[in-house]
Amino acid sequence: MHVLHVVGARPNFMKAAPVLSALARHASVRQTLVHTGQHYDANMSDIFFRELGLPEPDVNLGVGSGSHSKQMAEVMVRFEEVVLERKPDMVLVYGDVNSTAAAALVCAKVLIPLGHVEAGLRSFDRTMPEEVNRLVTDALADLLFTPSEDGNINLRAEGVKADKIHLVGNVMIDTLIRLLPRALERWGDLAATLKLDGAKPRYVLVTLHRPSNVDEPAALAALMQTLNDIAREIPVVFPVHPRTRQRLAQLPATDSRLLLIEPLGYLDFLALQCHATLVVTDSGGVQEETTYLRIPCITLRANTERPVTITTGSNVLVGQDTRRLRDEVTQRLAGGGRQGEIPPLWDGHAGERIADILVARK
Ligand code: UD1
Ligand code: UDP
């Protein structure tokens, strides 16, 4: 069986790695890795290939940045050629980025079976570009691999046939479990570099990149002001996503107490999550990783497609309400909030379950 994987943006790499490695253990499987090039900076792409032990991509489509339509159209035109030439038996796509939905559309048109890893997640908010990508990809997929039971419920409610849906657990957590020991080894050097002093330094870790938070200058300025206030009490470490870097450059300059740094590699970022007093984010993956690590997480969004991180995990939503953000931070710094539990099947074996299902199918 020839399986072709499509990745393109930072969160895809952690999700694909365990599936590639599980399938590599099956002698009957040949694999091709296609990188769309949606993310291309060394610290948004290459570093993950090295740290996660991913093979070099067989093809890089080099699509780069652009409007949603342009980016998806470029993926479609360039991926169609690759898929027609390589003739895989199955294409696997990951998560909810533009590359995912664009590749899914191509597969549906050229009649190549499609598997979606991380299927069924819904925020029920179509103003989020990712929600549109999730709906399109799931509507077209032949095999839908869900990370949690809510995914199965959503897909069944949309009329997806039960035999296409497989609850396999969370592939992102497979990668976390595998690399946690290596991440922890880096902690001493990393803490020294960031001047996080003391045996157990306290700090808040922040990531922000959702258009709803960073593309609207007034909203971004208000969030930055609140984070700056929080930094009077506790160090705030903020690896800045390239989208956010551009938006921050457009705001009037202010005195910042925040430790604004470049996006980090997977191992350093994981080490920082593990030791954080709390995390403030709008990332999908970080909501999940903090749930697994039982680190308090405050999410700057009105909704989440990952409700299990709230019902079971350590996550809370505050929308864009800076007063609520301030209150939740105060409460959590005082030891409030709950650590939560790890959701079922977030156990390090999701990639193997996917590989077993694919191999059994042929
Ligand atoms: C994309 C995904 C989002 C995901 C995020 C993960 C879509 C619609 N969005 O958002 O779901 O959470 O990746 O990080 O697919 N840029 C660089 N260097 C890079 C990549 C991007 O400078 O390597 C800049 C470009 O100016 C680009 C902007 O960041 O225009 C946004 O990049 P894009 O891939 O379109 O969306 P993200 O915000 O990264
Ligand atoms: N991440 C990273 N370096 C950073 C910020 C995040 O390695 O500086 C990792 C994080 O641990 C998680 C993934 O990137 O594994 C999440 O990706 P992102 O937040 O870009 O996208 P989302 O999950 O929101 O789609």
Side-chain angles (χ1 to χ4, degrees):
M1 178 176 45
H2 178 195
V3 179
L4 186 153
H5 308 255
V6 181
V7 294
R10 178 166 70 184
N12 292 160
F13 308 134
M14 304 78 187
K15 295 169 192 172
V19 183
L20 273 139
S21 99
L23 281 171
R25 281 177 234 132
H26 292 272
S28 62
V29 177
R30 182 160 71 84
Q31 304 192 71
T32 299
L33 180 58
V34 174
H35 189 331
T36 66
Q38 177 173 345
H39 284 177
Y40 43 84
D41 288 349
N43 59 8
M44 294 298 288
S45 177
D46 297 5
I47 191 167
F48 298 102
F49 281 77
R50 285 199 305 279
E51 292 191 346
L52 307 181
L54 278 164
E56 280 281 305
D58 297 283
V59 183
N60 191 321
L61 303 177
V63 300
S65 307
S67 71
H68 288 276
S69 302
K70 181 168 184 307
Q71 194 171 53
M72 291 183 66
E74 291 289 351
V75 173
M76 288 184 69
V77 170
R78 298 179 196 198
F79 182 59
E80 184 184 52
E81 264 184 44
V82 172
V83 96
L84 289 176
E85 184 197 316
R86 305 240 171 185
K87 300 186 178 58
D89 301 302
M90 165 72 60
V91 169
L92 290 183
V93 293
Y94 297 84
D96 56 15
V97 302
N98 281 348
S99 300
T100 308
L105 277 162
V106 171
C107 293
K109 297 281 184 181
V110 300
L111 304 180
I112 297 209
L114 175 73
H116 183 204
V117 177
E118 200 187 81
L121 300 188
R122 297 288 181 270
S123 65
F124 302 101
D125 173 3
R126 292 196 187 186
T127 66
M128 259 189 110
E130 294 81 3
E131 183 74 354
V132 177
N133 292 340
R134 292 179 203 116
L135 286 160
V136 167
T137 308
D138 285 341
L140 300 176
D142 302 285
L143 285 175
L144 298 100
F145 300 109
T146 57
S148 45
E149 182 61 35
D150 54 285
N152 292 48
I153 294 168
N154 293 335
L155 292 172
R156 283 200 299 267
E158 287 170 18
V160 178
K161 284 215 200 101
D163 62 354
K164 290 174 150 187
I165 309 170
H166 300 272
L167 177 57
V168 292
N170 191 322
V171 281
M172 207 169 208
I173 301 302
D174 287 12
T175 294
L176 187 158
I177 291 172
R178 176 169 68 93
L179 293 178
L180 191 55
R182 277 185 49 207
L184 292 176
E185 283 168 16
R186 301 163 75 96
W187 171 242
D189 288 347
L190 180 64
T193 308
L194 296 174
K195 300 193 170 53
L196 299 168
D197 299 325
K200 203 175 177 314
R202 285 167 64 79
Y203 61 92
V204 176
L205 177 63
V206 176
T207 78
L208 281 182
H209 70 276
R210 294 259 98 82
S212 54
N213 283 328
V214 306
D215 283 4
E216 161 49 49
L220 180 59
L223 287 174
M224 293 303 283
Q225 176 62 53
T226 305
L227 293 172
N228 215 22
D229 291 344
I230 293 166
R232 287 175 201 275
E233 277 171 57
I234 180 167
V236 174
V237 184
F238 184 170
V240 183
H241 188 283
R243 172 189 287 277
T244 311
R245 190 199 317 130
Q246 286 177 7
R247 301 305 183 202
L248 286 175
Q250 291 159 1
L251 293 183
T254 50
D255 275 350
S256 172
R257 284 183 200 82
L258 309 177
L259 195 48
L260 298 171
I261 56 177
E262 288 294 307
L264 292 169
Y266 183 78
L267 297 173
D268 282 348
F269 189 77
L270 180 54
L272 270 181
Q273 285 192 84
C274 288
H275 289 93
T277 313
L278 71 94
V279 174
V280 175
T281 193
D282 59 12
S283 158
V286 174
Q287 293 174 64
E288 295 182 339
E289 290 168 345
T290 47
T291 276
Y292 182 84
L293 297 168
R294 298 174 157 202
I295 299 292
C297 179
I298 301 175
T299 297
L300 291 167
R301 286 179 43 188
N303 49 54
T304 179
E305 61 289 338
R306 293 162 162 92
V308 73
T309 62
I310 296 176
T311 53
T312 308
S314 59
N315 189 21
V316 63
L317 298 181
V318 298
Q320 282 181 333
D321 184 338
T322 50
R323 179 173 296 185
R324 276 205 64 203
L325 168 61
R326 198 73 195 76
D327 290 349
E328 287 289 343
V329 168
T330 305
Q331 202 194 96
R332 281 161 190 247
L333 290 184
R338 59 194 193 106
Q339 277 193 319
E341 303 293 331
I342 297 172
L345 297 179
W346 291 24
D347 60 359
H349 299 290
E352 290 155 29
R353 291 185 196 103
I354 292 171
D356 289 347
I357 291 163
L358 289 172
V359 169
R361 202 170 165 261
K362 272 269 162 183

